[in-house]
Amino acid sequence: MSKILTIDCGGSKTAITIWQSSCAALPQPVAELTIPTDFADEQGLLPHLQQLCAEQLVEAAVLAVAGPTNSEDGRLGLTNNSCRLDLVGLRRGLPQVERWVVLNDLEAFAHALPAVEALGALEVVNRAADGPGLNGVCLAVAAGTGLGVAARLPGGRIVSTEAGHCSWAPENQAQVELWQRLRSFIDRPCYEDLLSGRGLVNILRAVYPASARRMLQPAEVTACALGQSDASPELVAACRQTFQIFSELAGTIFSNLALCYLSSGGVYIGGGVIAKIGALFDPYIFRQAFAKSCPFQAQLRQLPVYLIRQENTPSLGAACYAEKQLLG
């Protein structure tokens, strides 16, 4: 029985988990701590790691970062946060941990797909004909502080991407008008500017400019749409429209990405935003937009699409990776 430390360092929060590894079952969390990603470097993170690991015999650690992992200077930066981490400094601060590996957070997310399937943690959005499943190419997308995208290839190899930063092109007249409004305050609207926490705020600002007087946080947009605030009827209606547009854009954008990767194994959608918005994500609007009119419309209709509504997916994937690659 071995123990694994995972550090899911995202733009808004960092989830630290110690997992019990077992050959007979999936890794199980035995200690957890979530903190804001408000530290500048590894020195601000280390006290939390040392506290959690104080009474645990950890053999391997996986650092999953929401940003590129191929830094030339050895320091790992986050795409949507100024924090920079030095793996050498982390190792010095936790000398008892012998084996370390760094992953992009969407790599870790994609490594979790077999586990979330085994746990029954998938919510079906599009019921499709039987296909290759995880034996095919799977598209993994996570909407959180940013938008992460990765592909899981047959055999389990993961290809991380920066597809969330691709320029967004509108596909109908309503989207053209939305794009024009977005261009008044975003130079180059990209996928991440729409399908993320700040994406909810951007869409709301575009459909209801008065919201810019006091910029709502993503959680406030959600609460308002659910009728859990004392907002005006006009703002409530605009917030609900925001989620309809979000659902449509998720359909159009994720179908583009599914075509890029010929994702016969399906599309797996997760992240903090998806975990929090619940029924505000409209599967009907999503399906209508996903099966767009194009030469591959029939194939798109057959692709299975799933929601993953749990937030610890990158940590679970990092633990599964460590169990297989570092301890196996």
Side-chain angles (χ1 to χ4, degrees), residues 170-326:
E171 296 190 6
N172 55 46
Q173 185 56 41
Q175 290 185 10
V176 169
E177 294 173 6
L178 176 68
W179 182 87
Q180 290 171 334
R181 292 173 188 152
L182 289 167
R183 283 281 285 114
S184 69
F185 56 92
I186 301 175
D187 288 339
R188 184 188 71 90
C190 68
Y191 293 168
E192 184 171 276
D193 289 322
L194 299 162
L195 301 181
S196 63
R198 76 168 182 274
L200 295 174
V201 178
N202 290 336
I203 296 171
L204 176 62
R205 181 177 175 183
V207 301
Y208 189 66
S211 67
R213 296 171 191 163
R214 185 185 78 81
M215 299 296 289
L216 274 66
Q217 295 299 310
E220 294 177 295
V221 180
T222 301
C224 184
L226 290 171
Q228 298 172 349
S229 72
D230 57 357
S232 68
E234 293 79 12
L235 180 56
V236 171
C239 288
R240 290 175 178 169
Q241 182 186 4
T242 293
F243 283 97
Q244 292 177 335
I245 293 172
F246 180 93
S247 300
E248 178 188 14
L249 293 176
T252 59
I253 289 171
F254 295 162
S255 64
N256 284 340
L257 294 172
L259 288 172
C260 286
Y261 296 103
L262 296 175
S263 306
S264 60
V267 178
Y268 296 76
I269 306 169
V273 171
I274 296 300
K276 291 181 174 71
I277 65 177
L280 292 172
F281 183 86
D282 192 315
Y284 176 78
I285 292 176
F286 174 91
R287 287 193 298 268
Q288 293 297 110
F290 187 85
K292 63 181 68 184
S293 178
C294 74
F296 289 89
Q297 185 180 49
Q299 288 89 334
L300 287 171
R301 289 187 185 278
Q302 291 299 309
L303 288 187
V305 180
Y306 307 98
L307 294 183
I308 305 172
R309 293 205 186 266
Q310 59 188 58
E311 292 191 68
N312 74 334
T313 305
S315 297
L316 174 60
C320 291
Y321 178 87
E323 190 173 60
K324 182 179 180 180
Q325 301 295 332
L326 299 182

